[in-house]
Amino acid sequence: MSAYRYPMPNPSEITSKENFLNRRSFMAGATGALAAPIFFSSAAQAATSLTTIPSKYSTKDEPNPLADITSYNNFYEFGTGKGDPAKNAGSLTTTPWTIETSGLINKPGTIDMEALMRKYPLEERIYRLRCVEAWSMVIPWVGIPLASVLKDLDVQGSAKYVAFETLKRPEEMPGQASVFGSLPWPYVEGLRLDEAMHPLTILAVGLYGEVLPNQNGAPVRLIVPWKYGFKSIKSIVSIKLTENEPPTTWNKAAANEYGFYSNVNPEVSHPRWSQASERVIGAGIFAKKRPTEPFNGYAEEVASLYEGMDLRKFF
Amino acid sequence: MAQSKLLTAPPKWVIYCVAISPAAYYLERAITNNLGPDPLATLENALGEWALILLIIGLMITPIMRFARINLIKYRRPIGLAAFTFVLLHLTVYVVLDRQLNLWEIWIDILKRPYITIGVAAFLMLLPMAITSNNRSIRKLGAESWRKLHKLVYPAVILGAAHYVLLEKTWQLEPILYLTAMIGLVAIRQVWARRKRKT
């Protein structure tokens, strides 16, 4: 098996961004049946592109253009404005990168990013993303099922939760150095072990067939598509298996507004706004809102995880 | 020394047009779909923010007169009305585009979401002021009660800025600056009033 070479040049040096700026018009412009092969083969020639396999878990919905996904971000480490991450995240050094693995596992240690991307097949997962702020996008992630990675860590029987931690590096993350809009750093998140092992849960390493842009949580982030976006922690440096429910950042900041579970639920309002519907990013200002679906439309796959739980109490 | 005539040379309607020109810019961008990935939030927030900016400018006219001895009082009404125009546009965008005329949802918002409750309260305070911003109303109400009515602007601006502070997920600098400015501009009037009572 040939070794995966982690890309070193800047994406802008190799692939013109215009190719990806608007997938919709590109696809429309290309002739029907030929469109997909052309798209993937041309992308495959670029050094930043990733070889991916499709997944049955992808939604059929049309993904948002790359420009939306990379210019409209919540990543408070780089500022609280939606455009701040795109503006400020360029300073983040993502190579070399390792994830510390610890806690209730038989193989503690570190995972090297390059090794991670070599070891597991990369899948394209087109998922809906529902932000707690009542907007949504459709995003073609590239990722690895978290379950595959956890299995290789040899999780001990007593482990019940997985705790994640984002990089803390204020010299490269201006939002961590700022007093205003600040959260306790580093950003921490957690999942119940069965949620973490669910096949929909992935560690994303790419977007639109290329390595993850910094503003989207490079080089590796969690994606849990049935939960509000803030659960999908970015730029992960630590994964720890625990027996007790780990603390989570937004829950620490405002426990009455952000629960540990934070499953997308149109019936449980955020105390300050309704979650019944969502603004579809890219649909235009006059578009009708999309009614929010329980578990963000993934109820069939995940509702059984919460059987017998009062989801108003465990919001 | 008398102030330069140049300062008050532009007619009031010119000041009104200049003050509401950002609305034209945003409406043009909205119609041509040029407001970025989340145009609704961008438009709603921008209209609200311009209302706050113009309310601050309106409240600065008296302090400027007292401290800098520049009398711009003739522009207070067009600036106030321009601020109200932004409030009205902001509210219209919320009702028509954001809540999409779902009156039940709006009612629930007003009852259950404090920042909406506060925003609506501020609007209801500004409304009678806007309606009576004309010479005929001053005559009809009498100068004294007209002035009393227009003191509603003080609670309204503080509620307006609090509305902004409360809708953010964390304590953010910009809304806090607006709230500080509003409290400062209202407080200075309390200081003046107290001094006047003493002398």
Side-chain angles (χ1 to χ4, degrees):
Chain A
M1 190 178 153
S2 69
Y4 173 77
R5 224 160 40 84
Y6 203 87
M8 300 303 287
N10 286 325
S12 56
E13 289 170 40
I14 292 129
T15 309
S16 89
K17 272 269 154 70
E18 282 73 23
N19 279 342
F20 296 102
L21 281 182
N22 195 333
R23 192 173 185 247
R24 195 184 300 252
S25 64
F26 179 88
M27 297 298 269
T31 43
L34 286 173
I38 287 171
F39 181 81
F40 289 113
S41 64
S42 67
Q45 286 160 7
T48 48
S49 73
L50 306 167
T51 309
T52 64
I53 52 174
S55 164
K56 63 172 178 171
Y57 292 110
S58 286
T59 166
K60 302 275 181 291
D61 297 356
E62 181 73 26
N64 281 76
L66 183 67
D68 286 357
I69 301 168
T70 54
S71 67
Y72 193 75
N73 306 98
N74 274 327
F75 197 172
Y76 278 29
E77 280 81 348
F78 295 102
T80 56
K82 294 285 183 292
D84 290 345
K87 219 166 26 195
N88 301 329
S91 56
L92 180 67
T93 311
T94 56
T95 44
W97 192 280
T98 53
I99 304 169
E100 192 193 335
T101 54
S102 62
L104 304 170
I105 49 175
N106 291 325
K107 293 176 183 165
T110 57
I111 300 175
D112 182 67
M113 248 330 268
E114 275 187 55
L116 181 81
M117 294 179 72
R118 241 192 336 257
K119 190 170 177 188
Y120 303 95
L122 303 179
E123 297 183 28
E124 185 186 52
R125 296 280 185 112
I126 306 172
Y127 281 162
R128 282 183 293 276
L129 174 103
R130 171 60 157 78
C131 180
V132 75
E133 297 165 348
W135 53 264
S136 69
M137 289 196 197
V138 177
I139 304 181
W141 302 109
V142 175
I144 299 156
L146 179 60
S148 311
V149 178
L150 290 178
K151 271 175 205 149
D152 288 345
L153 297 177
D154 200 357
V155 176
Q156 293 171 6
S158 54
K160 290 194 181 70
Y161 295 91
V162 188
F164 304 87
E165 201 176 296
T166 296
L167 177 73
K168 183 179 177 186
R169 195 184 282 162
E171 61 275 22
E172 287 186 2
M173 297 173 135
Q176 290 180 339
S178 151
V179 181
F180 286 97
S182 213
L183 292 164
W185 310 112
Y187 194 92
V188 289
E189 257 305 337
L191 294 175
R192 225 166 53 186
L193 186 57
D194 59 342
E195 298 174 323
M197 294 296 288
H198 193 278
L200 279 172
T201 306
I202 59 166
L203 285 177
V205 297
L207 168 65
Y208 259 117
E210 293 199 40
V211 294
L212 212 53
N214 285 359
Q215 62 266 39
N216 294 90
V220 56
R221 64 172 296 176
L222 185 69
I223 298 293
V224 197
W226 70 92
K227 293 177 181 282
Y228 292 119
F230 68 86
K231 290 293 290 182
S232 294
I233 184 170
K234 302 181 178 85
S235 304
I236 298 169
V237 293
S238 161
I239 297 178
K240 185 179 184 181
L241 277 289
T242 65
E243 199 173 347
N244 299 318
E245 187 181 289
T248 59
T249 294
W250 279 103
N251 181 255
K252 283 193 283 181
N256 64 323
E257 301 191 350
Y258 312 98
F260 174 79
Y261 286 93
S262 288
N263 294 317
V264 175
N265 189 346
E267 278 162 30
V268 177
S269 290
H270 184 281
R272 289 181 285 148
W273 54 82
S274 162
Q275 297 289 25
S277 62
E278 62 209 39
R279 304 191 299 284
V280 177
I281 300 299
I285 198 163
F286 302 108
K288 257 196 104 57
K289 291 205 180 182
R290 184 184 194 274
T292 292
E293 295 177 76
F295 300 105
N296 199 24
Y298 297 96
E300 208 180 299
E301 288 93 343
V302 300
S304 59
L305 296 176
Y306 310 100
E307 227 162 79
M309 279 175 74
D310 180 357
L311 294 178
R312 289 190 172 274
K313 193 174 161 216
F314 298 98
F315 61 89
Chain B
M1 197 178 75
Q3 74 184 51
S4 161
K5 283 265 194 307
L6 275 176
L7 281 171
T8 47
K12 287 189 243 181
W13 65 267
V14 170
I15 295 302
Y16 179 80
C17 289
V18 170
I20 63 158
S21 59
Y25 167 83
Y26 279 103
L27 294 179
E28 190 271 331
R29 304 220 100 192
I31 290 161
T32 57
N33 200 11
N34 266 316
L35 283 176
D38 195 357
L40 177 55
T42 306
L43 181 66
E44 211 169 17
N45 296 342
L47 294 172
E49 194 163 350
W50 274 105
L52 291 175
I53 290 169
L54 289 168
L55 286 168
I56 288 178
I57 295 173
L59 284 180
M60 278 168 59
I61 285 180
T62 305
I64 286 173
M65 186 154 65
R66 292 186 69 135
F67 294 123
R69 310 255 162 227
I70 297 170
N71 185 344
L72 298 171
I73 202 86
K74 83 176 234 201
Y75 296 133
R76 198 166 61 177
R77 183 183 293 169
I79 287 168
L81 285 172
F84 187 75
T85 307
F86 276 100
V87 169
L88 209 55
L89 288 169
H90 173 75
L91 185 68
T92 306
V93 168
Y94 162 75
V95 169
V96 178
L97 297 179
D98 193 339
R99 296 288 109 193
Q100 312 197 324
L101 295 171
N102 187 330
L103 297 182
W104 175 248
E105 251 182 57
I106 292 170
W107 180 240
I108 296 296
D109 265 359
I110 294 171
L111 291 184
K112 284 177 71 173
R113 326 257 177 254
Y115 83 96
I116 302 269
T117 318
I118 286 175
V120 170
F123 169 74
L124 291 177
M125 290 176 183
L126 293 173
L127 183 64
M129 294 177 56
I131 293 171
T132 57
S133 281
N134 52 70
N135 294 339
R136 216 181 51 182
S137 293
I138 299 179
R139 277 194 300 273
K140 217 165 138 194
L141 289 168
E144 199 42 49
S145 33
W146 185 90
R147 202 169 291 134
K148 245 184 208 156
L149 176 69
H150 280 241
K151 290 216 159 98
L152 276 174
V153 74
Y154 304 140
V157 292
I158 289 174
L159 291 180
H163 166 73
Y164 185 13
V165 171
L166 284 176
L167 77 87
E168 299 291 350
K169 287 197 298 186
T170 53
W171 298 106
Q172 299 196 4
L173 179 62
E174 246 188 87
I176 289 171
L177 286 181
Y178 278 108
L179 185 59
T180 312
M182 297 305 189
I183 291 173
L185 286 165
V186 172
I188 202 169
R189 276 133 170 118
Q190 304 310 311
V191 173
W192 290 336
R194 201 160 302 160
R195 262 195 221 148
K196 208 171 158 190
R197 254 177 271 137
K198 271 185 195 157
T199 52

